[in-house]
């Protein structure tokens, strides 16, 4: 006996023009577990995230520029090394020299440095003040392209008027040269200081031009301070048994007087050139001060370093002597002292730290 299974009756296909049911429409729009509505939401979310990242980058860059320190000096206002400062100093020195020499009728000479001098009325004869030496003692920049230069001038006293004896003998009643009724004793040599304002700017040809902004102003000279304490001890007279003395004497004789081989007394990798032509014929060591205790009769172990302040008297060809002082650094090697360096200045002792209240 056959058992017949009941087959499901297929649903009739929708006729053309009939709209699908709601469930069939939803199933047809489902793709891989994501509905088109979810896809739209995801696309919108990604778009907003991208815009947020772009805006965040812009805000971050803007915040960095706004929080940058505003007191940082701009490199555009810094003068090129070796141009503005040196040029202003040289210009001020020439201007100060012409200013001190100028007399009646020299307004045009000054106008070459300071145009406003063309309207001046100078008095006195030219050369009444004669600078024998000028040097810059202070140089500072007060603004972009503006320099304040202080020039020290060593002035010679004015020359006394020359009287013509022949003319005076012929007419004793005629008055002599007008030296001034209140002329006092002749002045001695003096050093005076003048502050010169100088402006600099680039020229059309690419060079730097300078001009004085006003007449010089006479100012007080720089003050002096106490000399700093050095690391050296009390100066001692040289002893022939001291091996340091032998090295220093031989070194200075070769360096100043051309006596001996200079390299023989130098430490390895130390390079010095003797003075040529030799200005002295002999060198006498008068005293030396060391920065620490040392055995005056022996040589410490190799690698020992010591700084010394050495005083000498160098004898010239005419027999006169000149006192000189040298700051030297010595180092031991192979059982002897050698010159490690000719120091630029004596070594100063570090200043003590301020005590706490």
């Amino acid at each position: 006996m056959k058992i017949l299974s009941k087959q499901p009756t297929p649903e009739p296909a929708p006729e053309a023009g009939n709209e699908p049911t709601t469930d069939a429409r939803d199933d047809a729009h489902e793709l891989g577990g994501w509905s088109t509505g979810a896809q739209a939401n995801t696309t919108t979310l990604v778009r907003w995230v991208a815009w947020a990242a772009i805006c965040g980058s812009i805000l971050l860059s803007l915040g960095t520029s706004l929080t940058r320190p505003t007191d940082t000096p701009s490199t555009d206002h810094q003068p090129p090394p070796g141009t503005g400062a040196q040029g202003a100093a040289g210009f001020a020195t020439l201007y100060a020299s012409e200013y001190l020499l100028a007399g009646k009728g020299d307004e045009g000479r000054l106008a070459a440095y300071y145009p406003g001098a063309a309207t001046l009325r100078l008095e006195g004869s030219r050369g009444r003040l004669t600078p024998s030496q000028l040097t810059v003692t202070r140089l500072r920049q007060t603004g972009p392209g503006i320099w304040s230069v202080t020039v020290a001038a060593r002035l010679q006293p004015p020359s006394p008027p020359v009287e013509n004896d022949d003319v005076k003998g012929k007419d004793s009643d005629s008055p002599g040269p007008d030296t001034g009724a209140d002329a006092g004793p002749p002045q001695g040599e003096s050093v005076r200081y003048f502050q010169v304002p100088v402006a600099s700017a680039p020229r059309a040809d690419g060079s730097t031009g300078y001009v004085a902004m006003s007449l010089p102003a006479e100012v007080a000279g720089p003050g002096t301070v106490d000399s700093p304490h050095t690391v050296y001890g009390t100066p001692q007279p040289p002893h022939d048994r001291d091996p340091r003395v032998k090295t220093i004497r031989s070194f200075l004789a070769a360096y100043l007087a051309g006596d001996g081989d200079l390299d023989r007394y130098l430490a390895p990798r130390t390079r010095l050139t003797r003075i040529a032509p030799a200005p002295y014929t002999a060198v006498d060591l008068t005293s030396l001060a060391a920065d620490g205790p040392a055995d005056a009769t022996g040589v410490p172990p190799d690698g020992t370093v010591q700084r010394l302040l050495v005083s000498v008297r160098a004898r010239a060809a005419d027999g006169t002597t000149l006192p000189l002082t040298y700051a030297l650094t010595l180092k031991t090697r192979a059982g002897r002292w050698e010159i490690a360096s000719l120091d630029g200045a004596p070594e100063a002792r570090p200043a003590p730290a301020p005590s706490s209240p």
Side-chain angles (χ1 to χ4, degrees):
M1 182 178 66
K2 293 183 180 180
I3 300 176
L4 298 177
S5 61
K6 186 178 180 181
Q7 299 293 330
T9 302
E11 296 180 1
E15 296 180 0
N18 294 338
E19 293 297 331
T21 61
T22 302
D23 296 338
R25 183 169 60 248
D26 291 341
D27 293 342
H29 284 236
E30 288 178 356
L31 299 174
W34 291 86
S35 67
T36 55
Q39 286 182 329
N41 293 336
T42 303
T43 303
T44 303
L45 179 61
V46 171
R47 186 183 298 113
W48 279 107
V49 170
W51 277 109
I54 294 174
C55 295
S57 300
I58 296 175
L59 292 175
L60 181 61
S61 301
L62 183 60
T64 303
S65 62
L66 291 177
T67 56
R68 184 177 302 166
T70 57
D71 57 351
T72 302
S74 174
T75 56
D76 296 339
H77 299 294
Q78 297 300 322
T83 56
Q86 294 182 0
F91 181 88
T93 303
L94 294 174
Y95 176 40
S97 176
E98 186 61 43
Y99 170 80
L100 293 171
L101 286 170
K104 185 177 182 180
D106 289 336
E107 293 82 1
R109 292 175 177 265
L110 281 184
Y113 300 91
Y114 170 51
T119 60
L120 295 177
R121 293 183 59 185
L122 301 178
E123 298 179 357
S125 60
R126 179 175 177 81
R128 182 176 58 88
L129 296 176
T130 304
S132 62
Q133 182 183 6
L134 294 102
T135 186
V136 174
T137 60
R138 190 182 185 190
L139 174 63
R140 59 191 178 97
Q141 189 172 11
T142 60
I146 308 298
W147 303 88
S148 176
V149 187
T150 302
V151 179
R154 188 182 300 276
L155 301 179
Q156 297 289 346
S159 301
V162 179
E163 296 183 359
N164 193 331
D165 294 337
D166 295 338
V167 176
K168 185 177 180 179
K170 291 180 181 179
D171 188 3
S172 58
D173 295 335
S174 61
D178 185 9
T179 59
D182 56 349
Q187 298 178 354
E189 186 180 68
S190 61
V191 177
R192 294 158 67 177
Y193 299 83
F194 297 87
Q195 183 173 279
V196 182
V198 177
S200 62
R203 294 165 50 92
D205 58 0
S207 62
T208 303
Y210 302 91
V211 66
M213 300 177 64
S214 69
L215 292 172
E218 188 160 1
V219 295
T224 59
V225 298
D226 295 334
S227 178
H229 297 288
T230 62
V231 299
Y232 312 98
T234 304
Q236 302 293 334
H239 297 287
D240 294 337
R241 295 179 301 175
D242 190 342
R244 300 172 302 173
V245 172
K246 181 180 179 180
T247 298
I248 294 172
R249 278 176 176 168
S250 301
F251 162 72
L252 292 178
Y255 183 71
L256 297 174
D259 183 11
D261 183 10
L262 181 65
D263 294 338
R264 178 182 177 183
Y265 308 102
L266 301 180
R269 295 183 297 277
T270 298
R271 299 291 180 265
L272 288 175
T273 303
R274 71 175 72 223
I275 302 177
Y280 306 103
T281 58
V283 179
D284 297 327
L285 182 61
T286 58
S287 68
L288 71 160
D291 66 346
D295 187 359
T297 59
V299 179
D302 289 358
T304 302
V305 177
Q306 191 174 61
R307 291 167 295 188
L308 293 98
L309 194 63
V310 178
S311 298
V312 301
R313 293 196 72 89
R315 185 178 297 107
D318 60 358
T320 59
T321 60
L322 183 69
L324 302 170
T325 302
Y326 290 89
L328 302 173
T329 298
L330 275 63
K331 189 175 182 180
T332 57
R333 184 178 69 93
R336 64 172 184 172
W337 286 100
E338 294 177 331
I339 305 298
S341 67
L342 176 59
D343 302 331
E347 187 73 16
R349 185 180 303 169
S355 58
S356 57

